[in-house]
Amino acid sequence: SLYASTQVKEGTIVAVDFLPLDDTKISLNLPNFNFIQGDFTESETKQLIVDALVQERANLVMSDMAQNFLGDSQTDALRTLNLCEQALVFSAGGSCFDSSYSPKSDEGMLAPGGSFLCKFFSCGKENEEDLMQAAK
């Protein structure tokens, strides 16, 4: 997120992480950079993101979240894929998945025409198919 903040000339950047960000790495020349230390899966953290955007919608959502690894590659990949799905629903709204998956909100934080980028670890096409379809 710090690198992205050096590349984005206009707009707001909101970064979220469990771990604290080293204040010495935040340049004073990044007035539109907002850091939130928290758990993205908690509603309080999501509300802080909404508040930081000051009623704007995002043009780009990037997620490199990953669960703490348990040591089983399939389980670790599926848990990280679940975070990607949660980030996509937050970004694009619940309508990106079928109604059985959809949360309460149908509108996400992503502006019309915006982009969503996430990382996940390969866990088999059958497990990745829903995310790939929903992201289209």
Side-chain angles (χ1 to χ4, degrees):
S1 58
L2 284 174
Y3 175 76
S5 68
T6 66
Q7 302 303 302
V8 174
K9 303 302 179 208
E10 294 180 20
T12 301
I13 293 181
V14 180
V16 179
D17 203 320
F18 270 132
L19 303 175
L21 187 63
D22 183 354
D23 289 339
T24 62
K25 293 183 180 180
I26 299 176
S27 168
L28 297 177
N29 297 328
L30 303 173
N32 295 333
F33 181 82
N34 299 281
F35 177 72
I36 299 167
Q37 184 177 352
D39 180 351
F40 171 77
T41 65
E42 294 180 4
S43 58
E44 179 182 307
T45 301
K46 291 177 183 176
Q47 186 58 52
L48 290 171
I49 296 168
V50 171
D51 294 347
L53 288 172
V54 191
Q55 299 182 343
E56 295 178 36
R57 292 176 75 190
N59 291 314
L60 171 65
V61 173
M62 295 189 309
S63 170
D64 73 343
M65 293 185 288
Q67 293 280 5
N68 289 333
F69 294 134
L70 300 174
D72 177 73
S73 60
Q74 182 72 8
T75 300
D76 293 337
L78 288 169
R79 292 175 73 221
T80 297
L81 183 65
N82 178 264
L83 284 174
C84 290
E85 291 173 346
Q86 289 183 56
L88 180 59
V89 168
F90 181 72
S91 301
S95 64
C96 63
F97 285 98
D98 68 346
S99 60
S100 66
Y101 184 90
S102 180
K104 300 173 193 146
S105 173
D106 204 31
E107 185 175 305
M109 292 304 305
L110 198 57
S115 299
F116 177 79
L117 173 69
C118 70
K119 78 161 182 203
F120 63 91
F121 306 105
S122 180
C123 56
K125 281 190 175 186
E126 66 282 354
N127 294 316
E128 300 164 4
E129 189 172 327
D130 287 344
L131 177 65
M132 300 306 283
Q133 288 299 319
K136 289 183 179 180

